[in-house]
């Protein structure tokens, strides 16, 4: 069911989103060559709890961690691991969900570990731009297909990367995953019409190679690219309002000024 949020509910989600944003900002100083991905989990869990939130991924369908920490060709949902040490040139994707007194927010970010190659930096830049192109389409009266279409065209037609189909954005609140589904591919003018009060995530996952992905048979969670190419992801929780889309998980008020 799709729920339309009041301004009070949106402000509560923004407070939840501020916790995620603060965690991501803090990780900029944590993530560096030589650390294990378990350190990311420890930092993220402590940050969320110290700021009054609950790491909502813990216990979700049996998932045990506050964060997913996916490296290089891992697209999403990978476990944080004590034995996985980050190297210079890696990229790492960190995703988490915060519940603050019943208000949910969800955000993922891609981090460069040390110095990355120009090709990897372009992957990150394209994925982040794809997120914001999608956000720009999240306008009252537009349709879900408008979001997916602009992301798909930019990622695949303009930039030649793979736009993952298997994992999508979603409604959020009053639980982690709500209707509607928000694909990152689509046909402009098709799909559900967007209304003020909807709160959704937009979270493109972009591969250097093809869009196809596989899920680990061993752990049932870790998603990797089928061709071994590297992948990036950026995600914000947004509210659709009569004044345009509002980012509820902003890390950079100056960059996001028109969305706040």
């Amino acid at each position: 069911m799709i729920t339309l949020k009041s301004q009070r509910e949106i402000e509560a989600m923004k407070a939840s989103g501020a916790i995620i944003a603060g965690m991501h900002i803090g990780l900029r100083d944590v993530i560096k060559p030589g650390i294990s991905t378990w350190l990311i989990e420890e930092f993220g869990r402590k940050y969320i709890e110290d700021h009054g939130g609950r790491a909502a991924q813990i216990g979700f369908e049996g998932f045990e961690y506050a964060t997913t920490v996916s490296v290089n060709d891992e697209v999403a949902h990978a476990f944080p691991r004590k034995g996985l040490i980050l190297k210079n040139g890696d990229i790492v994707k960190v995703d988490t969900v915060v519940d603050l007194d019943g208000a949910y927010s969800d955000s993922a970010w891609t981090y460069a570990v040390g110095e990355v190659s120009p090709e990897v930096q372009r992957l990150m830049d394209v994925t982040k731009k794809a997120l914001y192109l999608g956000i720009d389409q999240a306008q009252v009266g537009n349709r879900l297909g408008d979001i997916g279409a602009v992301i798909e065209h930019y990622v695949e037609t303009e930039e030649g990367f793979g736009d993952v189909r298997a994992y999508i954005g979603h409604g959020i609140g009053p639980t982690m995953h709500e209707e509607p589904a928000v694909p990152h591919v689509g046909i402009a003018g098709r799909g559900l019409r967007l209304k003020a009060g909807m709160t959704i995530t937009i979270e493109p996952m972009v591969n250097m190679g093809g869009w196809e992905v596989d899920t680990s048979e061993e752990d049932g969670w870790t998603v990797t690219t089928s061709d071994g190419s590297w992948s990036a992801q950026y995600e914000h929780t947004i509210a659709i309002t009569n004044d345009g889309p509002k980012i509820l998980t902003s890390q950079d008020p100056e960059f996001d000024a028109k969305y706040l």
Side-chain angles (χ1 to χ4, degrees):
M1 186 176 82
I2 298 172
T3 61
L4 301 182
K5 311 302 189 301
S6 67
Q7 186 58 39
R8 178 189 63 79
E9 289 170 314
I10 290 171
E11 289 301 318
M13 292 178 69
K14 189 172 182 179
S16 174
I19 297 176
I20 287 186
M23 184 204 78
H24 279 302
I25 291 167
L27 283 174
R28 298 173 191 174
D29 294 326
V30 172
I31 294 174
K32 61 187 66 175
I35 73 159
S36 75
T37 61
W38 185 253
L39 186 62
I40 296 170
E41 165 72 8
E42 288 184 323
F43 177 87
R45 185 183 299 215
K46 185 175 188 303
Y47 188 96
I48 292 167
E49 292 175 353
D50 285 352
H51 289 79
R54 180 180 70 87
Q57 290 184 161
I58 298 174
F60 177 75
E61 296 184 354
F63 195 78
E64 299 179 5
Y65 310 102
T67 61
T68 66
V69 184
S70 308
V71 179
N72 298 341
D73 68 325
E74 295 171 342
V75 177
H77 303 165
F79 300 164
R81 288 147 283 178
K82 293 179 181 178
L84 179 56
I85 306 301
L86 297 176
K87 306 183 303 297
N88 187 65
D90 287 341
I91 54 172
V92 57
K93 289 129 292 186
V94 182
D95 191 1
T96 195
V97 180
V98 167
D99 169 14
L100 179 65
D101 301 324
Y104 281 76
S105 58
D106 186 357
S107 179
W109 217 249
T110 300
Y111 298 86
V113 182
E115 297 292 328
V116 298
S117 70
E119 183 181 22
V120 170
Q121 186 61 57
R122 188 170 82 87
L123 172 69
M124 295 171 64
D125 292 343
V126 166
T127 309
K128 187 175 181 182
K129 182 174 178 179
L131 166 64
Y132 280 86
L133 288 173
I135 291 172
D136 284 338
Q137 293 300 313
Q139 307 281 347
V140 171
N142 277 2
R143 295 185 180 271
L144 282 172
D146 297 321
I147 296 173
V150 72
I151 292 173
E152 181 183 5
H153 180 79
Y154 172 64
V155 168
E156 297 196 339
T157 304
E158 294 186 28
E159 297 294 340
F161 287 139
D163 182 16
V164 172
R165 275 94 162 130
Y167 295 91
I168 60 178
H170 51 87
I172 184 168
T175 67
M176 186 189 307
H177 290 157
E178 296 277 338
E179 293 295 329
V182 184
H184 304 112
V185 298
I187 300 173
R190 300 282 184 89
L192 182 76
R193 193 174 296 280
L194 302 175
K195 296 180 179 180
M198 287 182 176
T199 48
I200 63 173
T201 72
I202 300 175
E203 48 184 294
M205 303 172 190
V206 176
N207 302 340
M208 280 184 172
W211 55 263
E212 297 88 351
V213 298
D214 300 309
T215 300
S216 168
E217 294 183 1
E218 181 178 349
D219 64 35
W221 284 96
T222 303
V223 180
T224 56
T225 60
S226 296
D227 58 13
S229 63
W230 287 18
S231 184
Q233 181 191 17
Y234 292 90
E235 173 188 18
H236 276 313
T237 295
I238 68 166
I240 296 167
T241 80
N242 289 319
D243 296 321
K246 302 299 181 184
I247 295 174
L248 306 181
T249 49
S250 174
Q251 302 175 33
D252 187 343
E254 184 174 352
F255 184 83
D256 291 333
K258 74 173 185 176
Y259 305 106
L260 300 179

